[in-house]
Each structure stands twice: as structure tokens, then as C-alpha cells.
Amino acid sequence: MSAATGSGSCRFAHYFVVCGVDTDTGLEPDDGAGAGFEQSPVRRSFKSKVLVHYPENTGKNPFNKDAVNMLCMPRGLSFRTQADERHPQFHSFTIAFDDGTRSYGFVHTFYEEVTSPPIITAMQTLCKMHHVDMDSLMSSLDESDIESLAGASGCLGCVGSFDSSRDTLYVSKALCLITPLPFLQASRQFLAQLHQSVTSQTAPPLPLESYIHNILYEVPLPPPGKSLKFHGVQGPIVCQRPGPEELPLGEYPLGEAFSLLGVENMVKLLTCALLETQVLLYSQDYQRLMTVAEGITTLLFPFQWQHIYLPIISTPLHHLLEAPVPFLMGIHRRDGAQRSSLHLPHEANLCFVDIDNHRVEAPEDLPLFPDQTELIQELSEVLLQFGLSPQGGSMITKLSSSTSPTASPRLSSLVLEDLMEDRRNGNLGGEELAVLERLQALARKCGGEQTSEGRRAMEMEEEDEEMKASKMNVQLREVFAVRFAAIFSKYEDFVIHSAVDLDSWLSNREGAFSFDKGSFLSLQPATHLHFLSRFLETSMFSSFVDGKVISRWADREPQQQLFDRRLERERLYDTGEEDPRPCSCKKGLLLSESVRAVEHRLQKADHTAIHPHLLDMRIGQGRHHPGYFPKLQADVLTQDNAVTKRMLMERMGKESVELCQGEANITGLQENTLIHGLCDLLERTWGHCLLQVRAQPLTKAVYMLLSRLTVFKPSACAGSHCSEQRTLDDGTLVPKASLTQDMRFIQTMNEGLSEVGQARAWIHLALEKKMLSQHLKELLTNQELLRQLYKPHAFLLCEEEREQFLFHLLSLNTVDYLCFTRVFTSICIPYRVVIIPMKKLSIAMATVNPWVCVSGELGDSGIRQFPKNTQEIYFQCKNLGRLSTLQLGQENSGLLAKCLIDCVMVYNEITGHTYKFPCGRWLGKGVGDGSLERVLIGQLLSPGVEDDSGRWTGTPPELPSPSQSVRTVLSSLGKELREAANNLVKHFHKPEQERGNLTVLLCGEGGLVLSLEKFLLHGLKSNRLFQRNVFVWDFVEKAVISMETADQMGDLHRSTIIKDPPCDLLCHYVNAINASSRNIGKEGKFQLFVCLGIRDRLLSHWFPLLAECSLTVRTYEEGALLRDRAAVLSLSRILHTLNDFTVTLETALVKGVDL
């Protein structure tokens, strides 16, 4: 099962829910909670109700009021008096939908004083009736029966009584957050901070509605592989999601599950789950049920539980235990209940897990997990590494044993809870009770007088614990993931593809076999057969294989896709040699990458959500009453973004499609959605308390405000500054980077935009330039005009909130956006191109006549000739999108027309983007490789790093000659080749809108072309066949000539090779590249050779041919990689993995070659 996805799934939370007592309906006994008649009414359970939930519904995840109420308060309402403990409790739950997706609920339950007179009166009446009934019962019993009743029930006398004249009545209330993904820690912190603000004597900075509205509508899901910081009532909260190459999100602490049950019991429980036995969890703590259940399903990767999954079921649903199908369920253990009191059917196939007593009762015929002894040892080492005992119950021992005076307040409170449990069980006497009460009072006093430094220390300790738990989760999960990868590393070889299309496979699915189980088992160790023979018959394995079969016609399930990519990666790194430690090495590599990624995300948030802000609330709403959760204002919490977006689209007409929905293949739907949400927020913020807003649409009013404010600003072209503006070839002035000039450029765009569209286009441009916060701050300096346009209590006139808002907009500068470039694809953009020669040879530029052709995602500029004796050119052309390559050439072919080029810089004069195209090579005949034209690879520079060549990934530097490298052992070359191929594999596995520049991966620094050039240069003799500088293309040319000559003369060793199509194609491609009219030099020809070979899936065949050529023995030294059969075979296997992908090359790379 996967987390829910849909229109609402882009948000962090689907619903916020409050459950409690309904004062209108009064008290209704909860018969299903199991409360007996002998219990006092204060100890009984009553039916709870969903008091409020926001929003009403969200897309594909309709709100199920009955299910949420039952899971939020499984035992119903609980009452307490001032003499009872009223500690807040936390638990979570999951809700499954018909399509197999799940949502997660996180519940913070606390006790609130009852102020409703009807409820207090009803409880008083019930208590009086209970006393009368108990007195009548006692009068009818003899003395021995009374003593036994008193010992059994513990409800005689005044225990559990309530008198409204002397007692204060409290009732449980639950705050719940329902999310599409299991963000356990973040949700728990948010709810705890919400409750702390209610109990605090100090009012929160904003009404609670602001924080709830923020998390429901303004906090998005963090992107995969990124972390997100948002703000609770008390402070910031960080959540994170694994990247596409990491295991799926799993925040439930596996260390706690292992500590509760022990390693051996957890392995036994996982084995039962894999073999799909009935699994029943049993605990007094609801959160323990979820922790163990989610822990087990997390460890099943890449397989998924296919049957009934109910980690928490209430008493009315206990009949589900009679289902004769596999299930994974959890039931609550009532106080004093024993295992023998449960009447469970089908116990022969039942795995009963008593979490509190650390016992697992598995079926008798349960086989051992493969290599179970080694697995237990490995898991034990991980737990010991984090300070946990592999034996069950270690958490309880740890807590109960920490009774020293230096124990933390949190730990001391847990020890006191254990003592209070003894008090309830009758294990403490009168003097001990008095001591206990003094201890409780002292603990409360110490806790109430904590300094801010102490609270900060505890917060840092909690952060460290969260980091520790996350690392432990990664390590424990990787242990099982690597084991499954080892067992099923070649499962694809046994999948049977018998159908020609999906429809025929579905129609014959029941009678067809999709997996060759017999052949698979025949290759497994004998000790594994007992387990594997049963596992191959399970539904989870059948579903896994079905997913593989269906992947021929449809997208693979994400978990299976990740598992297959891991297997591909292992095969990519497999050199074919026997490795004495294969499992540990692979696990160590994956583990280190995953741990580093988790550390990075938790230590520094990648994104920051919009800060909670003041809502447009009625006067008197949102007031703070300590100890009481307020009645929320519904109208400000039902503003679903989908409704707002639909209203705006109706007002904007077709521009909403053009600006936010169109050209999804270029702009990327995810970025458009986020930018659209930002525009919505800005319009609501700037429209708050705007005068005469009813007279015109809000968006138009915002545009008018923007236009009027820019008119009041002084012209950016005043005085001497005008002379600084640049001029294009046609005499057009290049606009300067100022607020006014940006707005004027938007107004002159020939896009036919309305006022609303122009306002949004300006926001897009400012965001891409990383100037949005600065521009808005500049606009807001005109306080006089703001007071004319806004009411006195408007958001923009509140200095503190305004500064906070601008500060968070400033955080958007950490991301590189292309929202303007990719949306407005038909506008004309002025570009500036500067050729930078090597400093010592800059005078040589006077002898060349250079030209450039700039290419990007949306096209190319055509050839642009530089004026004579200049190194800089301005031109205007249709938007090229994100730039990728640049063709640099010269018309003068004389021997003196040569120049050593350092790099070429291209500037987008509207967005301010700077692209650097490194070269580092000669341009001219008779020098270097004699190239008159080069294709340079560029990349967008971040501001302030223009000269940071150390982090550059563009055109690679020129390689040293073989004489310098022939005696150097390139131990890292194999790794570089595998990394280059792996980067290409990852590129094609990403969604299309998330892919980067393929040309960089092929031809850039660390790309495939450079790696293969190093491979061919290794061991190349420098002074035998060639006189001057040695280039790889020289060898390729001579090898082809040698093959063709030997074929014609008929004396080539193994002459049958020449007749094979790969050899004919090799000769044909090399000759076609040499015959091209482009003078791209020897390096450019080899680059073109590699790119065409990858595109046409021929490169994996060509390198073995080059290795077998008779010229290779004479040209390469004996230790060269090209003469090493194992190295060539490994290279061919690496290149063969790229044949599964369709490679589309840029026009600039293949121009002039008809192949």
C-alpha cells in the first residue's frame, strides 16, 4: 500500500479534526468500550463525537466521520477529576481506501475542564445512582463476597466518585491531523505545540486559526529528497522525504519496536508476515500497536502487505478476528486483562504478539528466515551501535532503572508514572503514598520553573534523538533490503512473459504462470527452500511478479521500480570477479549514501514554508482562554486552495491556462503549481483590507496598486545613469535591472496580457531574478500611498507582520526558478555574449573573426557574427529557454588566425541569468586538434560563483598527452565510467519534467565522453605511429583504415568480424564523421562518435571491435586497459545497460552529419 495521492496530496495535511464531548447530545454510554456496570461513571466510557473538521472534504479523500471518530478516541470519552492523572497522550492510526492507498492520522489527547452545566449535572446524577446501586448490591452479599468484590473491582468507597460541590470534572478531547504521508515526528510536534499554547498563560503570537490554516492550505509536501521547515505555535518544525533512490518514507521508530520485542522475536514476527499468517498485536498502548505494525510493513520492502491491515481496531470490530484470511490487526488490552481472557479463532495459524510482555507466539511449523543466525547477529550489532540491547523489554528496563538524582525531568516523570501505576495496583501503602504525593508536587514545581536554557537543552536533546532514530531506521531497513536484494537478485530471469498485450494477460491471468518457481528454487541453497517454497505462494510475491509483468505496458509500482533500480546498480558495479564480501560492500555503499542524505536534510532545511499570518477574522474571535481549546472560526478555515484557484481562474480567463497550466512539458507542472500558489498568497496578502475592493475584482485591484506604486518611484533612467544602458544591434536599449524597468518591460511584452496577467508576469520575473522580496520591500516604502489605499488595520500596514512576510519571501532566493523563462516562451529576449581568451594571448583575438550560435531548450539563436576586433556582442531573439550548448567558430582559416579561448559568457539581460561555457582550447588551424569550430557545454551560474571553476560541470578540460599518463595507474577510471553510466541511468529514471541536461551528462565534466577518452588514452604509445599531439580520434581513424584494408586484402586475423554489421557500421560512422563539412577538430569528432554510438545503441559493440583490431597490439602497451579482456568486457557490459533508453541528441551536436 502507498500513501494517498491526489489533488489534496500536494499539501502536508488533509484534515484537522477535533473530537470530544458533544454538549448538545449529552452523555451517551459507549457499550462497545467494554466498561462494566461495577465501575464508577467517572471510570466508564461514553461516546465521543467529531466536533469540527476542516476542510469539509478534499478531492479523492472524502472525510469519514465515523471512522475518524472511532480511531481518534477508540475507548470513547474518558472523565477525570482533579485527584486523577491527566497526562496528555499521543497515538496514531491509518485509514485505508478502496484503491489501496492510505492516509495517516496523528492524535494528541488531553483533558479539558468541563464547563457545561448539563454534563456536570448528568455525571453527578450517574454517580449518585451508582452509589445507590452498589449499596443495594452490598447489602445482599455476605462478608466474603464483599471482600472479593472490593479486591476485584477496586470501586468501593469514594474511589472514582464525583461531587460537583468539591470536585472539578475533566473530559478528554482529541486534536487530530490527517496527512497523506506518515510524518510522525512533525505532526506530533505540531499538535503538542498547539496544546501547549492552550495550557499556557501567555497568548500565542497569532490566533490558533492562523496556524491551522497554515498547515492545511499553505504548507506543501516536501519534494522527494528534500526537507521542509514550517512553523508551529512554539517554534519551527522540520519534516523530510527520502529521494527517489532511497527507501520509502518510514518515520515510525524501528529501534523502539526492536527494543519492545527483541531481535529474535522481530525476525520471527517478520517471517510470519512474509508467509502471510494471521498476525494479532496486543498492547495497552495504542501507539505501540502502530509502531510495531508500521515497523513490520516497512521492513517488507520491496514487497507489500496485501490483506487486512488494521493496527487499531475497537471493540465493536473484534468480530473481524474470525475472518479466515490473513490479517495484521491490533487490539487494545484493558487494565488487568490477561491473555487467557481472549477467545481467538484459528489459533493454529495465528501469530500472537504480546507487546507489553515481549512475547511472540508463532505457529509451530514456522520455517526459519534464510541465514537467520547471521541476520540476527547483524541486527544486534546495529542496535548495540545505538546503545540498545538486542533483548526484548530493554526500553522498559532503561526507563525504570534511571532513578538517580541527575535523571532528566522527562525521565523522572516516567519513573513517577511507574510508581503511580503501583499505586493504582495497590502496591503502595499510606506512608509511601504521602511520599509519592510530595514527589509529584516537587516534580511539578521543578517542571514549572524550567529556565529557557533548560528548555532549549531539552529541545536540542530531542533533535539529537530524532536524528539518532532516523539513522537507526535507515540502518535496520537496509539490513533487510540488502538481504532481499541478494535472494531475489536474478528474479527477472524467471518471470514468464507469455502475453502479447495487457488485455490478453488480464483475461488469462488466473490460468497462466508468471514465475518459474521450480527453476528459481533449484538454484537456491537447501537451507532456504523451506521458507522460499512457502513465500513464493503468497499473495505479496504474486502481486510483486504481476507488477513486473504489467510493467511491459504500464508504469511500475514505485517500490518495485526502486528495487529494480537497486538491482541494476548492483549489476552495474559487478565486475564479474568473486567478491568475498559482496553483501557488506553493497550495503555499506547504500547505507552511507542514505545516512548522509538523512543527516543533510535534518540538519539544514532545503525549503521553508509560508509563515502563519493574520487572517481576516471577526472582532472578538481568536481570544486566548488558558486551559480551553477555543471554538474555531469556521469561515477562515474552510478556504480550500482549490476553491480559491477555481475562482481566480474564472476571473482570469484563458490567461490562467497560459500562465499556470499550459506548456507542462516545458515549464513543469510542479513548479507552476507552487508559483500559482505563491501568486494566490500575494494577492490575498495585498488585497487584505484594500479600500473599494468590492467595486472591482481583487486581482485587478492588486495590479492597480502595483502600477500606482511604480509610478511614484523615481525613474531608473534619470541623470547620468542613462548612459550606462546598453544598445542592441538594432538600436534598442537594454532595460536595466530595477523594479520600474522590470514593470515597463512587462508592459511592453507583445503577449496580449490583461492587467492581472501583467501583474503575475511581473511576479514570475522578480522570482526568477531573486528580487521579489527586494522589489516588494521597495514598493512598501511609500507609506503615504499605502495609507490612501488601505484600511488602518491592513496587513501591509502592520510593520512586524510585513517584515516577517518579506523575510520569508527572501528565503525563496535559495532556489533557482525558471518560471518566467519557461512560461513566456514567445517573447524576445536580449542576450549578451562575451568571448574571454587566455590573458597572455588576448591580443590574438585581433586575428580571428569569430561567430557563435547559442542553443537552449526552446531553440537556437542562429549564427551571430562578431564585429571585427570585438569580443562582445548583443543581440535580441526569441526566448531560448535554459541554455545548454554554444557553437563557437571562426571564418578566417589562415594559419595566423588562431586564439586560445578560456571561456564564453552569455548573459540574459532580462532575467539576469549568467551562463558560462568553458573552452580551454585553441581555435584555429595548425594548433591543437586543428578545430575551427567547437561545441561548448554550459551551465547556469549561481550569483556570486562566476569564477568558481572548482564546482564547474561544463566542457571538460583538455586531457594530458599519453606520455604523461601512460605510466600512471588510473585506479579510479573504472569508478568514473560506472558513475558516468549510472548518472545517465538515473537521468532516464526520473520523471521527464525533473530531468536535467542530457548533454552535460554525455559531454560535460565527468561525462561519458571524457571517461571513454581516458579509457582509450590509457597505455597509448605516443611516439610510434603519430608525430605530434596524440588524440584518441587518430587511433579510431587508423583502426578503421586497418580493418578496411585487411578486409580488402583478406589477411585479417578473424576476418569474419569484418562481415558483421557492427564492424560495417563502425567504419561507416567514422567515415561519415570525417566527411562532414564541419571542421570540429579531432576532439569534436570523438565526441560526436560517442554520442551517435549511444544514440543508436552501437557503442557497446564498437569497443570490443577496437580491442580485437590488430592495430591495437602495436599501438598500446601491454598493460593498457584496451588490451585487458576483463576491462573491455566490463566496459561493454556497462555501455550495454544504456541501450534500454532512447537518447535524443541536441541539434548542435549532430549538425552536418547525416546518420
Side-chain angles (χ1 to χ4, degrees):
M1 295 184 182
S2 58
T5 57
S7 58
S9 298
C10 61
R11 299 194 306 238
F12 177 86
H14 283 163
Y15 295 100
F16 177 79
V17 187
V18 180
C19 296
V21 60
D22 188 348
T23 56
D24 295 332
T25 59
L27 297 180
E28 299 180 47
D30 190 357
D31 299 331
F37 167 76
E38 71 279 358
Q39 288 185 316
S40 167
V42 180
R43 296 291 180 262
R44 296 176 190 170
S45 296
F46 297 86
K47 289 183 178 180
S48 62
K49 295 288 180 65
V50 173
L51 303 181
V52 292
H53 72 277
Y54 304 104
E56 190 67 25
N57 272 302
T58 59
K60 298 180 180 179
N61 304 296
F63 187 77
N64 189 331
K65 182 177 292 188
D66 294 334
V68 172
N69 178 53
M70 184 182 299
L71 292 168
C72 282
M73 309 191 84
R75 287 182 290 180
L77 294 172
S78 298
F79 284 89
R80 296 289 186 271
T81 65
Q82 77 282 355
D84 301 317
E85 289 184 358
R86 302 185 302 278
H87 298 301
Q89 300 292 328
F90 174 84
H91 78 274
S92 56
F93 61 85
T94 181
I95 298 178
F97 298 96
D98 294 338
D99 59 355
T101 59
R102 279 192 254 162
S103 288
Y104 291 84
F106 303 95
V107 186
H108 183 93
T109 305
F110 62 98
Y111 287 90
E112 188 177 70
E113 182 180 347
V114 179
T115 57
S116 172
I119 300 297
I120 297 175
T121 302
M123 182 58 69
Q124 177 87 37
T125 303
L126 289 173
C127 286
K128 290 181 178 179
M129 294 173 58
H130 173 70
H131 282 294
V132 171
D133 293 339
M134 293 305 297
D135 291 340
S136 175
L137 176 63
M138 292 173 60
S139 63
S140 64
L141 301 175
D142 54 28
E143 186 175 350
S144 60
D145 293 333
I146 294 176
E147 291 177 357
S148 62
L149 180 62
S153 64
C155 63
L156 298 180
C158 62
V159 177
S161 62
F162 170 71
D163 187 345
S164 59
S165 61
R166 69 169 190 270
D167 295 325
T168 303
L169 188 65
Y170 297 86
V171 65
S172 58
K173 178 173 282 188
L175 307 179
C176 174
L177 202 63
I178 298 178
T179 65
L181 293 175
F183 293 116
L184 173 68
Q185 301 298 338
S187 300
R188 186 172 192 165
Q189 292 179 47
F190 178 82
L191 294 173
Q193 291 187 21
L194 208 61
H195 177 233
Q196 289 169 11
S197 69
V198 171
T199 58
S200 174
Q201 296 298 319
T202 305
L206 294 170
L208 296 188
E209 287 88 344
S210 295
Y211 299 97
I212 297 171
H213 181 277
N214 177 253
I215 201 168
L216 285 179
Y217 305 120
E218 297 170 341
V219 176
L221 285 177
K226 302 293 182 180
S227 56
L228 173 75
K229 181 173 71 175
F230 63 93
H231 295 270
V233 184
Q234 306 289 338
I237 301 170
V238 177
C239 63
Q240 59 93 21
R241 284 177 72 183
E245 299 301 320
E246 300 174 63
L247 294 175
L249 180 65
E251 287 200 357
Y252 284 84
L254 290 173
E256 181 179 342
F258 276 89
S259 297
L260 286 168
L261 295 177
V263 174
E264 292 189 16
N265 281 336
M266 278 294 288
V267 173
K268 188 186 301 182
L269 174 56
L270 181 69
T271 305
C272 291
L274 286 167
L275 299 182
E276 295 183 345
T277 63
Q278 295 178 329
V279 178
L280 181 62
L281 310 178
Y282 189 53
S283 176
Q284 195 173 4
D285 189 330
Y286 288 110
Q287 186 56 20
R288 286 183 177 180
L289 295 174
M290 275 294 294
T291 298
V292 174
E294 283 294 308
I296 288 298
T297 56
T298 298
L299 294 176
L300 292 178
F301 173 87
F303 309 103
Q304 300 181 56
W305 183 259
Q306 301 293 318
H307 302 282
I308 300 174
Y309 181 74
L310 296 171
I312 298 176
I313 57 173
S314 56
T315 304
L317 298 179
H318 281 191
H319 65 276
L320 294 176
L321 298 174
E322 300 178 4
V325 294
F327 58 71
L328 201 166
M329 300 189 200
I331 60 176
H332 180 258
R333 188 187 72 184
R334 294 196 299 271
D335 294 339
Q338 300 297 326
R339 163 75 170 89
S340 57
S341 63
L342 294 174
H343 301 286
L344 303 174
H346 315 296
E347 293 200 34
N349 191 41
L350 177 70
C351 176
F352 182 80
V353 184
D354 190 345
I355 299 176
D356 299 334
N357 293 315
H358 331 300
R359 291 201 305 265
V360 175
E361 301 173 12
E364 294 181 358
D365 60 341
L366 185 71
L368 295 178
F369 191 88
D371 298 324
Q372 180 166 309
T373 303
E374 292 81 358
L375 174 62
I376 291 175
Q377 177 65 28
E378 191 174 358
L379 293 170
S380 300
E381 292 174 358
V382 174
L383 293 177
L384 290 172
Q385 178 184 345
F386 288 92
L388 297 179
S389 171
Q391 305 301 321
S394 59
M395 290 190 67
I396 306 298
T397 304
K398 179 182 177 182
L399 293 178
S400 60
S401 61
S402 302
T403 58
S404 64
T406 59
S408 66
R410 183 180 178 186
L411 199 58
S412 301
S413 66
L414 291 170
V415 176
L416 289 177
E417 288 181 13
D418 291 339
L419 292 174
M420 291 302 296
E421 184 69 24
D422 290 337
R423 174 186 178 182
R424 287 193 293 270
N425 295 333
N427 296 329
L428 294 179
E431 183 178 350
E432 292 167 320
L433 286 175
V435 174
L436 175 60
E437 290 173 356
R438 288 198 296 272
L439 284 172
Q440 282 186 292
L442 180 61
R444 284 195 295 268
K445 182 178 180 181
C446 294
E449 296 177 356
Q450 279 187 333
T451 62
S452 59
E453 291 81 2
R455 284 195 299 270
R456 178 57 187 157
M458 290 186 65
E459 290 175 2
M460 293 180 64
E461 182 180 349
E462 290 179 359
E463 291 175 1
D464 293 340
E465 287 298 321
E466 182 179 353
M467 177 76 75
K468 178 181 175 182
S470 299
K471 290 182 179 179
M472 195 188 317
N473 274 13
V474 170
Q475 295 203 26
L476 291 171
R477 295 175 69 187
E478 287 291 354
V479 169
F480 287 96
V482 170
R483 297 254 168 194
F484 285 126
I487 295 173
F488 297 99
S489 60
K490 299 184 182 300
Y491 85 96
E492 295 172 296
D493 298 339
F494 303 93
V495 176
I496 301 173
H497 299 282
S498 58
V500 295
D501 54 42
L502 181 59
D503 292 336
S504 62
W505 182 82
L506 291 173
S507 60
N508 300 313
R509 180 182 179 186
E510 298 299 329
F513 294 97
S514 299
F515 193 78
D516 189 353
K517 300 174 184 177
S519 299
F520 177 81
L521 292 174
S522 66
L523 299 179
Q524 305 305 314
T527 54
H528 299 180
L529 295 181
H530 190 193
F531 170 83
L532 290 175
S533 60
R534 291 181 55 178
F535 178 70
L536 297 186
E537 302 298 329
T538 60
S539 296
M540 73 171 67
F541 183 76
S542 297
S543 176
F544 180 78
V545 173
D546 289 349
K548 185 63 179 179
V549 175
I550 296 175
S551 67
R552 297 174 61 195
W553 307 290
D555 293 337
R556 285 178 289 180
E557 199 278 335
Q559 290 201 30
Q560 186 169 38
Q561 189 175 4
L562 173 60
F563 185 69
D564 289 346
R565 285 203 302 269
R566 285 184 159 221
L567 296 183
E568 290 176 7
R569 182 175 180 178
E570 290 183 9
R571 288 192 287 268
L572 193 63
Y573 280 84
D574 185 10
T575 60
E577 301 176 357
E578 291 294 331
D579 189 351
R581 299 175 303 165
C583 186
S584 60
C585 292
K586 295 171 187 175
K587 172 177 172 285
L589 180 62
L590 291 170
L591 185 59
S592 60
E593 292 177 354
S594 300
V595 170
R596 282 197 303 267
V598 170
E599 284 183 340
H600 173 76
R601 290 193 294 267
L602 290 179
Q603 289 175 353
K604 183 179 180 181
D606 298 298
H607 304 287
T608 302
I610 297 169
H611 198 283
H613 51 86
L614 193 64
L615 304 175
D616 191 8
M617 299 175 63
R618 296 191 298 271
I619 297 177
Q621 291 287 334
R623 290 185 176 178
H624 179 66
H625 300 283
Y628 297 94
F629 192 81
K631 184 177 180 181
L632 301 174
Q633 184 172 331
D635 55 346
V636 298
L637 292 177
T638 54
Q639 297 176 2
D640 193 344
N641 277 356
V643 177
T644 306
K645 184 175 180 179
R646 185 169 59 250
M647 293 170 59
L648 290 169
M649 289 178 67
E650 291 174 355
R651 292 171 179 172
M652 293 177 64
K654 70 171 185 177
E655 287 175 12
S656 62
V657 178
E658 295 174 357
L659 296 184
C660 304
Q661 304 297 336
E663 299 292 342
N665 58 328
I666 296 175
T667 62
L669 186 59
Q670 185 179 18
E671 183 180 69
N672 272 339
T673 304
L674 294 176
I675 304 299
H676 188 71
L678 176 63
C679 291
D680 290 346
L681 172 66
L682 290 173
E683 287 173 349
R684 290 202 302 271
T685 304
W686 287 59
H688 183 255
C689 297
L690 182 66
L691 294 173
Q692 298 179 347
V693 71
R694 296 179 181 274
Q696 53 193 336
L698 173 61
T699 49
K700 185 175 180 180
V702 173
Y703 171 78
M704 291 183 63
L705 172 65
L706 183 63
S707 300
R708 290 185 62 180
L709 284 172
T710 53
V711 169
F712 273 72
K713 301 301 297 178
S715 173
C717 193
S720 60
H721 295 288
C722 281
S723 60
E724 299 178 5
Q725 281 191 284
R726 304 185 181 94
T727 306
L728 300 174
D729 294 339
D730 58 1
T732 307
L733 286 177
V734 178
K736 292 184 63 182
S738 69
L739 184 152
T740 308
Q741 293 292 346
D742 284 351
M743 193 62 199
R744 289 177 180 173
F745 174 78
I746 296 296
Q747 292 172 335
T748 58
M749 284 170 34
N750 297 323
E751 294 290 294
L753 299 177
S754 68
E755 295 171 343
V756 176
Q758 291 183 15
R760 289 204 162 201
W762 179 83
I763 293 173
H764 280 68
L765 178 58
L767 189 61
E768 184 166 329
K769 295 177 68 173
K770 302 182 186 295
M771 298 286 289
L772 182 60
S773 179
Q774 181 176 334
H775 281 352
L776 293 180
K777 185 176 182 178
E778 188 177 355
L779 286 174
L780 296 174
T781 56
N782 196 321
Q783 293 293 314
E784 180 181 353
L785 183 58
L786 290 177
R787 292 190 187 95
Q788 295 176 14
L789 298 176
Y790 287 93
K791 298 176 183 178
H793 57 281
F795 178 84
L796 295 182
L797 292 177
C798 299
E799 183 175 358
E800 184 177 350
E801 286 82 1
R802 185 179 67 228
E803 291 300 320
Q804 192 177 61
F805 178 72
L806 293 174
F807 174 77
H808 288 290
L809 283 181
L810 187 62
S811 65
L812 296 176
N813 293 352
T814 59
V815 181
D816 293 326
Y817 294 99
L818 293 172
C819 48
F820 182 84
T821 299
R822 288 175 170 169
V823 169
F824 299 97
T825 58
S826 60
I827 64 173
C828 286
I829 297 288
Y831 293 95
R832 179 165 64 102
V833 182
V834 180
I835 298 178
I836 301 177
M838 290 294 186
K839 293 182 179 179
K840 294 182 180 180
L841 300 171
S842 59
I843 192 172
M845 283 297 298
T847 64
V848 299
N849 189 17
W851 55 266
V852 294
C853 178
V854 184
S855 300
E857 295 173 324
L858 305 178
D860 63 67
S861 64
I863 293 179
R864 301 283 176 166
Q865 189 74 46
F866 277 69
K868 194 172 182 179
N869 297 328
T870 61
Q871 300 171 212
E872 187 174 18
I873 185 177
Y874 298 90
F875 62 87
Q876 192 166 8
C877 67
K878 187 177 178 182
N879 185 5
L880 301 178
R882 184 177 182 132
L883 304 186
S884 55
T885 59
L886 180 143
Q887 294 173 252
L888 173 64
Q890 64 149 320
E891 297 294 338
N892 192 353
S893 59
L895 292 178
L896 296 178
K898 60 187 70 173
C899 182
L900 183 59
I901 306 297
D902 181 20
C903 64
V904 180
M905 307 295 295
V906 180
Y907 304 91
N908 184 319
E909 298 291 332
I910 297 300
T911 65
H913 286 158
T914 300
Y915 296 85
K916 183 178 182 181
F917 296 83
C919 181
R921 291 167 174 78
W922 284 94
L923 192 68
K925 281 190 175 183
V927 64
D929 64 346
S931 174
L932 294 179
E933 176 186 339
R934 296 196 181 276
V935 178
L936 307 181
I937 312 301
Q939 191 170 350
L940 176 65
L941 290 182
S942 299
V945 297
E946 184 171 325
D947 297 328
D948 188 6
S949 59
R951 54 171 293 187
W952 182 249
T953 59
T955 307
E958 190 170 9
L959 293 176
S961 63
S963 60
Q964 295 172 317
S965 60
V966 68
R967 296 176 180 88
T968 304
V969 180
L970 302 178
S971 59
S972 62
L973 186 54
K975 180 180 178 182
E976 290 182 16
L977 277 167
R978 290 191 290 268
E979 285 297 329
N982 192 35
N983 289 335
L984 288 168
V985 172
K986 290 192 290 187
H987 169 86
F988 287 105
H989 278 299
K990 291 179 181 178
E992 187 173 352
Q993 64 270 19
E994 297 179 12
R995 296 176 182 175
N997 189 347
L998 178 61
T999 305
V1000 173
L1001 299 180
L1002 287 173
C1003 309
E1005 178 73 24
L1008 186 65
V1009 173
L1010 181 63
S1011 300
L1012 292 175
E1013 190 173 359
K1014 289 181 179 179
F1015 184 94
L1016 291 178
L1017 278 174
H1018 183 259
L1020 184 62
K1021 298 177 183 178
S1022 58
N1023 297 318
R1024 297 210 177 173
L1025 296 179
F1026 316 108
Q1027 285 88 24
R1028 291 181 293 181
N1029 292 341
V1030 176
F1031 296 93
V1032 170
W1033 186 249
D1034 291 331
F1035 164 71
V1036 175
E1037 280 184 317
K1038 289 185 177 292
V1040 167
I1041 294 173
S1042 175
M1043 292 178 185
E1044 292 177 337
T1045 303
D1047 183 42
Q1048 293 172 2
M1049 298 180 63
D1051 60 352
L1052 178 68
H1053 181 60
R1054 294 182 184 178
S1055 60
T1056 54
I1057 297 177
I1058 294 299
K1059 299 177 183 179
D1060 291 340
C1063 189
D1064 292 338
L1065 289 172
L1066 172 62
C1067 299
H1068 174 64
Y1069 273 62
V1070 171
N1071 293 330
I1073 292 173
N1074 279 329
S1076 172
S1077 58
R1078 296 175 64 189
N1079 196 335
I1080 57 178
K1082 296 175 182 178
E1083 288 187 346
K1085 290 178 180 179
F1086 180 75
Q1087 175 177 287
L1088 181 58
F1089 171 77
V1090 174
C1091 292
L1092 291 174
I1094 285 293
R1095 185 196 67 181
D1096 298 335
R1097 301 178 174 88
L1098 296 170
L1099 202 59
S1100 59
H1101 303 288
W1102 287 348
F1103 271 82
L1105 290 174
L1106 293 174
E1108 294 177 6
C1109 178
S1110 59
L1111 182 69
T1112 303
V1113 178
R1114 303 193 303 270
T1115 309
Y1116 283 86
E1117 296 181 354
E1118 186 176 355
L1121 292 176
L1122 195 60
R1123 294 183 60 180
D1124 186 339
R1125 297 179 63 87
V1128 174
L1129 180 62
S1130 177
L1131 173 63
S1132 179
R1133 188 162 55 242
I1134 291 174
L1135 296 176
H1136 185 73
T1137 62
L1138 303 177
N1139 293 347
D1140 297 334
F1141 310 110
T1142 301
V1143 176
T1144 303
L1145 301 176
E1146 287 193 32
T1147 305
L1149 293 177
V1150 297
K1151 185 183 297 183
V1153 179
D1154 187 16
L1155 285 172

